């Protein structure tokens, strides 16, 4: 079994392209990383490389073929999507990718390392999702860890580079995971989660065993869906015949509709919450999902 290696504080895998590793090493130099001490504004996100175009096949009729758009390595993660509809898919999520990598690389201080281990202890309890106290505690720990991982280090340059070390290590691992499932089977990837076709429980168990042996405290979750509609890397719809769904579509998901109705984001905690608008947004989302569900069922009958 091949070993995970490190170079200048970045973890990489046998599948990590050499040109990507070279770009990551370049981004770790203070001269390159565009966060000088005397500049307060947040700079634009730096892309490691131009988009990697894999192939393009445009369908001649609806629901046939696919269009493979890109495999994109950025300063904030790895992104890929296939503009398509698909049946029988699975979404796999890596839990707390950035803090997990920071822990592996020794970038957490004593206080946050303790938080990380406490969070993992909660997640190891199979009954924690039904315990409101533990759910709230885990959410608080997750928020604190993510905030710390964005500001590791005493200076802007130092914490930027430390964050890059954790981010690129995670990105390299996720790319190895995509290769494990087969790039042709990956129809969406956003940083620490991806959607695959040709899924099997047996292969997932082997997947967990392989990566958990290499990365301490690494945990995953997986959920299967009957239908999937991928619009782009950030927008997709996952749907089961029983009505269970996950909606990430800015046109009709409740977050997108709420923003259109109020001009505010649900993530903005500095403004008051509009309950009436939220109820309307939820109803619009449910109606759109019903239409999509009926369309999917119609095409499979």
């Amino acid at each position: 079994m091949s070993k995970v290696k490190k170079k200048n504080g970045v973890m990489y895998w046998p599948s990590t392209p050499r040109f990507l590793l070279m770009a990551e090493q370049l981004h770790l130099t203070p001269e390159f990383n565009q966060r000088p001490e005397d500049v307060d504004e947040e700079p634009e996100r730096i892309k490691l490389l131009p988009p990697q175009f894999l192939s393009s096949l445009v369908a001649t009729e609806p629901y046939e073929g696919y269009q493979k758009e890109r495999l994109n390595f950025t300063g904030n993660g790895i992104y890929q999507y296939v503009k398509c509809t698909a049946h029988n898919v699975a979404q796999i999520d890596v839990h707390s990718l950035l803090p997990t990598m920071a822990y592996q690389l020794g970038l957490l201080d004593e206080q946050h390392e303790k938080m990380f281990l406490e969070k993992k202890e909660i997640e190891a309890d199979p009954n924690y999702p039904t315990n409101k106290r533990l759910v709230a505690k885990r959410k608080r720990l997750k928020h604190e860890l993510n905030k710390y991982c964005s500001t590791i280090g005493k200076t802007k340059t130092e914490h930027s580079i430390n964050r890059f070390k954790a981010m690129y290590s995670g990105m390299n691992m996720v790319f190895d995971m995509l290769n494990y499932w087969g790039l042709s089977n990956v129809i969406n990837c956003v940083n620490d989660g991806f959607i695959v076709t040709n899924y099997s429980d047996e292969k997932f168990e082997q997947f967990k065993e392989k990566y958990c042996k290499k990365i301490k405290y690494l945990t995953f979750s997986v959920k299967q869906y009957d239908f999937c509609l991928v619009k782009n890397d950030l927008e997709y719809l996952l749907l089961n015949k029983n009505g269970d769904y996950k909606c990430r579509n800015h046109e009709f998901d409740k977050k997108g509709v709420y923003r259109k109705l109020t001009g505010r984001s649900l993530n903005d905690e500095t403004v008051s919450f509009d309950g009436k608008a939220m109820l309307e947004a939820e109803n619009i989302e449910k109606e759109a999902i019903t239409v999509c569900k009926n369309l999917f069922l119609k095409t499979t009958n």
Side-chain angles (χ1 to χ4, degrees):
M1 186 178 289
S2 56
K3 292 184 178 179
V4 185
K5 299 179 181 179
K6 293 179 185 176
K7 185 170 184 178
N8 296 333
V10 172
M11 193 181 298
Y12 68 101
W13 301 70
S15 64
T16 304
R18 182 172 175 80
F19 59 79
L20 177 60
L21 186 59
M22 291 172 65
E24 289 170 350
Q25 300 302 306
L26 177 62
H27 274 231
L28 291 176
T29 60
E31 294 80 10
F32 184 86
N33 94 24
Q34 293 190 9
R35 293 200 70 169
E37 298 301 314
D38 56 347
V39 175
D40 292 328
E41 311 85 61
E42 180 73 18
E44 291 185 7
R45 293 288 181 192
I46 309 169
K47 285 184 168 50
L48 284 181
L49 300 163
Q52 308 299 299
F53 292 96
L54 302 181
S55 66
S56 183
L57 176 63
V58 180
T60 56
E61 294 182 29
Y63 313 114
E64 291 184 4
Y66 66 91
Q67 188 173 358
K68 178 86 75 176
E69 299 290 350
R70 62 180 184 160
L71 179 63
N72 211 9
F73 300 102
T74 78
N76 201 38
I78 180 172
Y79 297 80
Q80 177 188 357
Y81 73 95
V82 181
K83 195 172 185 178
C84 69
T85 58
H87 302 286
N88 302 319
V89 304
Q91 184 174 48
I92 300 170
D93 285 315
V94 182
H95 298 155
S96 300
L97 180 62
L98 196 61
T100 300
M101 287 297 126
Y103 175 83
Q104 308 300 322
L105 298 171
L107 297 173
L108 299 179
D109 61 18
E110 186 176 348
Q111 177 189 357
H112 289 88
E113 184 174 304
K114 185 178 178 181
M115 285 184 178
F116 175 80
L117 295 175
E118 192 173 4
K119 177 175 173 291
K120 288 298 178 181
E121 186 178 347
I122 292 173
E123 292 170 348
D125 181 350
N127 298 316
Y128 99 82
T130 60
N131 186 316
K132 290 184 179 180
R133 183 184 64 81
L134 289 180
V135 168
K137 188 173 185 180
R138 177 189 174 275
K139 184 178 180 180
R140 178 181 61 79
L141 291 170
K142 180 179 179 180
H143 176 73
E144 288 299 322
L145 285 165
N146 285 335
K147 186 168 69 172
Y148 177 76
C149 286
S150 295
T151 57
I152 307 172
K154 297 177 180 178
T155 65
K156 285 185 180 180
T157 298
E158 187 180 327
H159 81 237
S160 179
I161 288 178
N162 283 340
R163 186 181 184 278
F164 278 157
K165 289 177 182 178
M167 176 58 71
Y168 296 160
S169 295
M171 182 168 68
N172 293 342
M173 182 184 70
V174 170
F175 184 66
D176 196 76
M177 291 175 174
L178 301 188
N179 279 275
Y180 174 90
W181 289 99
L183 287 178
S184 61
N185 292 322
V186 180
I187 57 176
N188 178 271
C189 177
V190 183
N191 193 4
D192 56 359
F194 47 93
I195 303 169
V196 298
T197 57
N198 294 322
Y199 169 87
S200 74
D201 290 333
E202 181 182 2
K203 188 169 183 179
F204 181 70
E205 290 304 315
Q206 294 170 351
F207 168 79
K208 283 201 299 184
E209 183 179 359
K210 173 183 177 178
Y211 289 97
C212 290
K213 276 185 177 179
K214 293 175 180 284
I215 305 295
K216 196 173 182 181
Y217 296 115
L218 187 67
T219 56
F220 314 92
S221 60
V222 62
K223 185 167 183 179
Q224 293 177 257
Y225 292 91
D226 296 320
F227 310 110
C228 177
L229 173 62
V230 177
K231 181 180 178 182
N232 53 48
D233 47 7
L234 297 176
E235 294 186 272
Y236 55 85
L237 171 64
L238 297 164
L239 179 64
N240 280 320
K241 292 176 182 177
N242 64 6
D244 178 34
Y245 68 88
K246 182 175 182 180
C247 182
R248 295 288 185 272
N249 186 303
H250 302 332
E251 292 301 317
F252 56 76
D253 68 1
K254 60 186 178 185
K255 285 188 175 182
V257 175
Y258 183 86
R259 181 184 286 276
K260 289 177 184 177
L261 293 173
T262 66
R264 302 191 298 268
S265 170
L266 276 174
N267 298 328
D268 188 352
E269 298 177 356
T270 64
V271 296
S272 59
F273 175 76
D274 188 331
K276 184 178 179 181
M278 185 60 186
L279 184 61
E280 184 177 350
E282 288 176 345
N283 288 334
I284 290 173
E285 178 184 274
K286 289 176 182 176
E287 288 172 5
I289 294 299
T290 299
V291 171
C292 291
K293 178 187 172 184
N294 292 338
L295 181 60
F296 274 125
L297 289 172
K298 184 178 179 180
T299 60
T300 56
N301 292 333

